[in-house]
Amino acid sequence: MNTETLRGLAHLARLEFDPAHEAQMLTDLNKILAWVDQLAQVDTEGVAPLVHLSHEINVLRDDEARNTVSHQEGLLNAPRKDSDYFRVPKVLD
């Protein structure tokens, strides 16, 4: 990869970096591409593709309604409140 290609990629990705860091960015990007090339050379014949990271299927808890915070506890951290309600800025005229 050369500087011109790097600048083109930066433009497409809407990245901006100063010319002083351009050489370092080019070096780092070439290291990444070399590492990806190393991965491409690994023999994966007979290796099943990884579809899921876990063998767990639909591990979800039952959805049950319960009060974990009381009404008063919920109002404790409110920036503004009016007796039992949150005060919010007016939205409609």
Side-chain angles (χ1 to χ4, degrees):
M1 173 162 296
N2 58 24
T3 307
E4 191 173 312
T5 306
L6 177 67
R7 288 178 184 159
L9 287 173
H11 173 73
L12 290 173
R14 304 295 190 257
L15 297 175
E16 293 181 15
F17 46 86
D18 58 280
H21 292 107
E22 201 170 68
Q24 180 63 41
M25 184 67 71
L26 186 60
T27 302
D28 291 345
L29 193 54
N30 280 323
K31 284 181 183 178
I32 292 169
L33 292 174
W35 182 75
V36 170
D37 189 46
Q38 264 186 326
L39 288 177
Q41 295 174 12
V42 173
D43 181 24
T44 57
E45 189 67 34
V47 177
L50 180 66
V51 179
H52 299 287
L53 295 178
S54 172
H55 295 290
E56 303 292 332
I57 298 173
N58 293 334
V59 180
L60 303 172
R61 65 174 169 80
D62 291 334
D63 189 16
E64 55 187 52
R66 58 182 174 183
N67 290 329
T68 56
V69 178
S70 71
H71 185 77
Q72 292 304 320
E73 289 173 332
L75 288 172
L76 284 177
N77 291 322
R80 293 175 50 202
K81 58 186 172 190
D82 184 11
S83 67
D84 288 339
Y85 304 99
F86 289 102
R87 285 191 62 94
V88 296
K90 189 176 184 179
V91 179
L92 301 174
D93 287 329

